[in-house]
Amino acid sequence: MGPKSNLPQPDIVGRALERIGKKPLLDETCIVHRAFALLADKWTLLVLLALMHGRKRYSALQRQIGGVSPKMLTQTLRALEEHGLVEREVFPEVPPRVEYALTDFGRTLSEPLASLCEWAVEHEGRLRAVLASERSRG
Amino acid sequence: MGPKSNLPQPDIVGRALERIGKKPLLDETCIVHRAFALLADKWTLLVLLALMHGRKRYSALQRQIGGVSPKMLTQTLRALEEHGLVEREVFPEVPPRVEYALTDFGRTLSEPLASLCEWAVEHEGRLRAVLASERSRG
DNA sequence: CCGAATCCAGATTGATACTG
DNA sequence: CAGTATCAATCTGGATTCGG
């Protein structure tokens, strides 16, 4: 986002870490630590990713995110709503309809999320191998 | 993987999602779902990020990652090792020394991780506000 | 009918003490 | 120094139930 592009080193992580500040690293007041605490959750990233496609109903989310129980989906959505990343809209209809959508703030996560997705897709072969060997050992 | 680069829209997420495939979205066989399951853990991202700086000893990691207990640090490191993202090296010395470092595979996560860090730093103000209001409500 | 709250069993996490 | 053991606490998820 920042037009700060004349840095000599191509070390993307180094650059990002420099921007974090001069903290030792990752102590609990560090914003990166805090941010990861919000996102690094079993369902949160998947819900955000699902909503990147656009506004969705509760039941659509439940169908698309395989394995999520209604309880955890609701819980995850409520947390995202509290954090200002997702908006919840209730339609007073019968049968009831509830829709969820990313807020503007939520949409700012599209780049990091897409980056993670691309990583997963790019390394699918190795990942599947890792996961397979993990299962065989229990 | 496919060199499919003549898409008209600059929608980074849409592009990433298209590259995931034509799956409905995020079912449990989807590699994105699987990959997130490996990474979306309370400590995993922080440990990986800490190791982006370079090779580190166990105690250095514990000091830098505020709040992590030895049990969870060991558990997280062992999982990362099993997944091929981190390498563990034991030096037969007294006192004992164990060092951890990212593997080549682990380093492929530098871009997504940096992207997340930049997001956190860029939105630090709003994030801190969100976290503050969360604490006040319990 | 759809969205969500409750209850309870099982898994996960964490603080602390301890060992090689 | 680098972990393991132990036990308490928290979190998770599925079944069931409720409410509009």
Side-chain angles (χ1 to χ4, degrees), chain A residues 45-46 116-117 119-121 123-124 127-128 131, chain B residues 28-41 44-45 83 85 109:
Chain A
L45 290 175
L46 290 173
L116 276 171
C117 286
W119 178 81
V121 173
H123 299 278
E124 174 159 9
L127 282 168
R128 292 214 184 270
L131 293 163
Chain B
E28 282 151 306
T29 65
C30 172
I31 193 60
V32 173
H33 192 138
R34 295 299 202 85
F36 282 16
L38 288 189
L39 301 174
D41 171 284
T44 299
L45 290 175
H83 298 154
L85 294 164
L109 270 168

